[in-house]
Amino acid sequence: MSQPGGGASPTVFARVLGAIERWGNRVPHPAILFLALSAVVIVLSQVLASMGASVSYTRVNPETLELEEAQTVARSLLAADGIRFIFTSVVRNFINFGPVGIIIVAMIGIGVAERSGLIQAVIRQVVVIAPRSSITAIVVTLGVLSSIASDAGYLVLIPLGAVAFHSLGRHPLAGLAAAFAGVAAAFGANVLVKPIDGILAEMTNDAIHIVDPGRNIELTANFYFGIASSIVLIVVCTLISSKIVEPRLGKYEGDAPPAESEGLSKDETRGLWFAGVATALFVALILWLTVPASAPLRNPDTGAILGNSPFMDSLVFLIMSSFLVAGLAYGYAARTLRSADDAIDAITKTLSDLGGLLFLFFIISQFVAYFNYSNMGTILAVHLAGILKDAELNSYTLLLAFIVIGFLMSFPVPNILPKWAILAPVFVPLFIKLGVDPDVVLAAYRVSDSPSNVVNPLLPHFALVVGFAQRWQKDAGVGSIIAMMLPYSVATMLAWVALFFVWYGFDLPFGP
């Protein structure tokens, strides 16, 4: 990545980031890296199994949300069962790897919207309405809000952030970084109640019942803290983007952005009107299928819309469909898609661009399956939790240590739910005995979970971000993304920890 000009000597921080990027990019192609990591997991699984490594613990079952006693034993991938697993699970591992189906489905609609010119037209229209200086904050804010739709932010907003910046003549990787920071580094914060909040609350309640069966928290237990966290993290990520990341990237030397004009052409304006009307009709259809009491997209048993419901299960399809409908309407009215063949061509070209990424996902899916089969992540997590539980610390020090342990555990166990399933039964009762409320513990866990996402190569979506970056900079690699995102990780962690302890110290309510 280029450095800003001017001839000034780079700061120590800039030199450190440059060294991280150079070192990281010396790492082989991510596919080779994950092949090597898979080999390491196979060998290490044999070592741990030979040592008889195991842990016993109380956990919350993520499916039933009930407490259960569990024992996890290291399993060798070189034993007969392990070898059978390696040979028989290859196709299943790939098919069941979440990002694969999601990215293919979502990009059908996004590809039509982008290649028809809709996205560029919308961005140009936004620029007319909003000052250019606010675009970074808008992208980060949309990233934070996108967590209500789970993976949608990774799949939709991150590439769109790059396109938006490129359309403005700014470095597209700066837009990608701003979107990635909002989506991932602030994943645990939101001004809205997310479906995952209900799951986390129920898992916390089961942990509470170990020591106090009559006590519960609601899914809004961290609502006030979530709003404050969102505001703080949006400001922090915007400042990091504007003051550190974008200046470090320098001027983009790739394809020139589309030529700007005084405004949209008649065809583009007509296209936006058609796209707007088509989108409104599509939204009306979805509301009709969702809002009425007996609507088919509600949970047929509970009537719920959020949480466990057909509506939430169909979000990726709805995103794909909304982009597809809007893109087709725009292309028809703006005369950028003159036939059905043009639309199909836009889809096939978009999917063909995913070939390298799909191969990488194939390799990563095997690594994730081997790692999970070996049980190494669970054994490590339980041992770290036990060390912290046995330490004689006051509530402030223990909360800080808990956040640090949670942050470190996020690297081998990047998913927010499995990690909490292990930590909640250990730490929620422990903190209750110290007089710390469960909603405080859950808030501390949110702080610990998210900032590592943007620098964690083991995060399944990390490879996706590398793939998006390579569209704009062919030599971008794991080191490039880590160096670019490290300032966000450090800044969001420090700011969020500071906010948490100010909130806790002043005894402010974490939720209603």
Side-chain angles (χ1 to χ4, degrees):
M1 294 184 182
S2 57
Q3 300 290 337
S9 299
T11 63
V12 173
F13 185 60
R15 289 198 296 270
V16 169
L17 292 181
I20 291 173
E21 179 176 356
R22 290 190 298 273
W23 176 85
N25 285 342
R26 288 195 184 104
V27 174
H29 187 281
I32 304 299
L33 173 64
F34 277 97
L35 279 173
L37 288 173
S38 297
V40 170
V41 167
I42 291 172
V43 173
L44 190 55
S45 70
Q46 173 63 33
V47 173
L48 292 175
S50 300
M51 296 170 57
S54 66
V55 289
S56 298
Y57 55 100
T58 301
R59 71 166 188 170
V60 179
N61 187 308
E63 296 181 359
T64 65
L65 298 180
E66 295 180 354
L67 289 171
E68 62 182 18
E69 295 298 320
Q71 182 178 35
T72 298
V73 179
R75 295 200 291 178
S76 171
L77 285 154
L78 293 177
D81 286 344
I83 292 173
R84 280 192 286 268
F85 175 79
I86 291 174
F87 276 79
T88 61
S89 66
V90 174
V91 175
R92 183 172 66 252
N93 296 339
F94 182 54
I95 292 175
N96 292 338
F97 190 57
V100 173
I102 293 172
I103 187 66
I104 292 175
V105 172
M107 290 306 292
I108 291 174
I110 295 170
V112 171
E114 181 178 355
R115 294 180 186 273
S116 69
L118 170 62
I119 292 174
Q120 290 81 359
V122 169
I123 291 169
R124 288 171 58 197
Q125 188 67 15
V126 169
V127 171
V128 172
I129 299 172
R132 284 174 174 257
S133 58
S134 67
I135 296 300
T136 302
I138 291 172
V139 169
V140 173
T141 301
L142 291 175
V144 173
L145 295 176
S146 72
S147 62
I148 191 155
S150 187
D151 293 336
Y154 289 99
L155 303 171
V156 178
L157 189 65
I158 292 175
L160 293 190
V163 172
F165 272 51
H166 181 249
S167 298
L168 299 175
R170 296 165 66 178
H171 204 300
L173 293 191
L176 179 146
F180 189 22
V183 170
F187 181 80
N190 208 308
V191 299
L192 305 170
V193 177
K194 302 180 293 184
I196 201 171
D197 293 335
I199 301 174
L200 290 172
E202 286 304 313
M203 294 171 74
T204 305
N205 285 333
D206 285 325
I208 294 170
H209 296 162
I210 295 175
V211 293
D212 191 349
R215 189 175 183 180
N216 289 289
I217 64 170
E218 302 296 332
L219 79 165
T220 57
N222 291 160
F223 182 63
Y224 298 153
F225 182 68
I227 294 174
S229 298
S230 299
I231 295 171
V232 169
L233 295 179
I234 288 169
V235 171
V236 168
C237 291
T238 301
L239 290 174
I240 293 296
S241 293
S242 303
K243 303 299 183 183
I244 296 178
V245 173
E246 192 165 6
R248 178 176 176 269
L249 290 169
K251 183 180 179 181
Y252 182 57
E253 303 295 341
D255 297 337
E260 293 190 39
S261 61
E262 294 298 322
L264 300 177
S265 68
K266 290 183 179 180
D267 283 347
E268 290 172 326
T269 301
R270 184 171 59 252
L272 285 181
W273 275 108
F274 270 62
V277 171
T279 301
L281 292 175
F282 178 77
V283 170
L285 172 64
I286 300 306
L287 290 175
W288 179 68
L289 294 173
T290 306
V291 173
S294 58
L297 293 184
R298 285 178 175 266
N299 185 304
D301 298 322
T302 65
I305 296 176
L306 300 179
N308 181 20
S309 70
F311 173 78
M312 296 305 300
D313 291 340
S314 62
L315 277 179
V316 174
F317 172 73
L318 294 177
I319 290 169
M320 181 273 286
S321 300
S322 62
F323 275 96
L324 182 62
V325 167
L328 290 174
Y330 177 89
Y332 169 78
R335 300 186 177 92
T336 55
L337 298 177
R338 297 183 179 274
S339 67
D341 288 345
D342 289 342
I344 293 173
D345 187 55
I347 295 171
T348 55
K349 286 181 178 178
T350 299
L351 295 181
S352 68
D353 291 340
L354 299 177
L357 183 62
L358 291 177
F359 173 70
L360 180 58
F361 278 174
F362 172 77
I363 301 298
I364 293 176
S365 67
Q366 309 309 315
F367 164 78
V368 171
Y370 298 165
F371 186 82
N372 290 339
Y373 179 90
S374 71
N375 289 328
M376 284 190 287
T378 300
I379 291 172
L380 175 62
V382 173
H383 277 299
L384 288 175
I387 291 172
L388 191 53
K389 178 182 178 181
D390 294 337
E392 296 182 0
L393 304 172
N394 60 41
S395 61
Y396 282 89
T397 307
L398 188 58
L399 281 168
L400 179 59
F402 172 63
I403 291 173
V404 172
I405 292 294
F407 177 84
L408 296 176
M409 281 178 53
S410 295
F411 288 91
V413 189
N415 192 295
I416 189 172
L417 293 179
K419 192 161 66 260
W420 190 229
I422 296 170
L423 293 180
V426 175
F427 287 104
V428 171
L430 174 63
F431 278 111
I432 289 176
K433 293 175 183 178
L434 293 174
V436 179
D437 291 333
D439 58 338
V440 177
V441 186
L442 180 56
Y445 175 66
R446 293 177 187 273
V447 173
S448 74
D449 173 73
S450 301
S452 64
N453 288 337
V454 292
V455 292
N456 185 3
L458 299 185
L459 181 76
H461 296 95
F462 195 89
L464 182 68
V465 176
V466 174
F468 287 145
Q470 289 174 344
R471 171 184 173 183
W472 304 99
Q473 184 168 307
K474 298 299 183 184
D475 63 348
V478 172
S480 304
I481 303 303
I482 292 177
M484 183 171 67
M485 301 308 300
L486 184 60
Y488 293 106
S489 181
V490 173
T492 54
M493 185 67 173
L494 293 176
W496 214 350
V497 168
L499 174 67
F500 172 79
F501 280 107
V502 168
W503 207 273
Y504 179 61
F506 281 95
D507 198 25
L508 299 175
F510 281 79

